Amino acid sequence: MTKAGYLRMKYIADEKNTENITASEDNIVTRTYYDLAKRADRRKCFTQSLILLCIIFVLTSILGGLIYTYAQRVYGITVSYSGSVGIRAALRDYFLMFLPCALVFVSGFTVFSSLINGLLCAAGGIFTGFFTMELYVSFDFSKLPFVLFLVLYFLAIIYFSAISVSFSHRTPPGKDHIDGTFEDDLVCYIRYFALCSAFILFICTFEHLL
């Protein structure tokens, strides 16, 4: 039995007629029902969004590999990566890695969230496929850590993108149905953003230490 159902049964068990429930008690039950329904809807939207974004990322990764093959054979275009050292280089790399996370964050609670996150995952997939083919052609064991960091980075971005879409799902423009729920959602959303930013900093730091 759900928490909301338990509350309603408790009123009945206490021999309280539902018509005699005070406004305060009724607000609690209504708020509980609303929160549970919204959480269930958000979890469902998150799961669907995560699956869809992963599919987009995989398909565009294949497309990126095909683009590399075509560009390398026709135009001789290649991509090379050389790790930079120093605090200045680390800050620069972190800033570049942080930009997609910031873009995902600002798209939250907007009607453009699904579109922006879908395009962002597609761009990341093309880059990953292009760069992976370059590593495959000129394989070097010393670049394996960078590949691992790249995979972890895009997994974090995809995960946060799905969170952003789930928070934007069925969000009324400018306000929520019940007072105070939007503020609670915003605090939770900012917490996810902070965790994603910290994880990116962790990846960037270890990438420069190795």
Side-chain angles (χ1 to χ4, degrees):
M1 181 181 296
T2 64
K3 182 178 179 181
Y6 171 78
L7 289 174
R8 181 64 68 179
M9 290 299 294
K10 183 176 183 299
Y11 287 127
I12 298 174
D14 292 340
E15 297 181 354
K16 288 186 178 182
N17 191 303
T18 54
E19 295 179 357
N20 296 326
I21 296 176
T22 64
S24 177
E25 291 172 333
D26 189 59
N27 287 338
I28 292 175
V29 175
T30 303
R31 173 68 176 268
T32 303
Y33 273 117
Y34 178 76
D35 286 343
L36 291 176
K38 186 172 63 174
R39 289 176 183 272
D41 184 62
R42 183 171 294 161
R43 283 194 296 268
K44 180 180 178 181
C45 181
F46 168 78
T47 302
Q48 294 174 345
S49 300
L50 185 61
I51 294 174
L52 180 60
L53 291 174
C54 287
I55 293 175
I56 292 175
F57 184 81
V58 171
L59 292 179
T60 52
S61 296
I62 297 174
L63 177 61
L66 295 176
I67 292 175
Y68 172 84
T69 302
Y70 176 80
Q72 199 274 335
R73 289 182 178 179
V74 177
Y75 302 103
I77 298 176
T78 59
V79 176
S80 60
Y81 171 79
S82 58
S84 53
V85 297
I87 296 179
R88 184 176 180 179
L91 292 176
R92 181 200 61 200
D93 290 347
Y94 177 71
F95 175 75
L96 294 176
M97 295 172 69
F98 176 76
L99 284 179
C101 181
L103 181 60
V104 173
F105 175 74
V106 298
S107 69
F109 299 102
T110 68
V111 295
F112 305 104
S113 179
S114 299
L115 176 62
I116 292 176
N117 287 289
L119 292 176
L120 186 62
C121 287
I126 292 176
F127 172 81
T128 301
F130 198 95
F131 193 82
T132 300
M133 284 300 298
E134 170 66 19
L135 292 180
Y136 177 78
V137 172
S138 57
F139 186 76
D140 186 357
F141 280 103
S142 63
K143 295 180 180 179
L144 283 179
F146 177 76
V147 176
L148 176 61
F149 292 136
L150 185 66
V151 171
L152 291 176
Y153 169 72
F154 279 112
L155 284 177
I157 294 297
I158 292 174
Y159 192 85
F160 186 50
S161 295
I163 291 175
S164 177
V165 174
S166 67
F167 272 88
S168 305
H169 181 61
R170 292 182 181 176
T171 299
K175 62 179 180 179
D176 211 337
H177 289 302
I178 295 182
D179 294 338
T181 57
F182 177 76
E183 288 75 9
D184 295 339
D185 290 344
L186 184 60
V187 170
C188 185
Y189 184 62
I190 292 175
R191 188 179 297 118
Y192 280 119
F193 172 66
L195 289 174
C196 185
S197 302
F199 185 71
I200 293 175
L201 178 60
F202 171 81
I203 293 175
C204 184
T205 301
F206 268 79
E207 190 270 331
H208 277 268
L209 290 177
L210 294 180

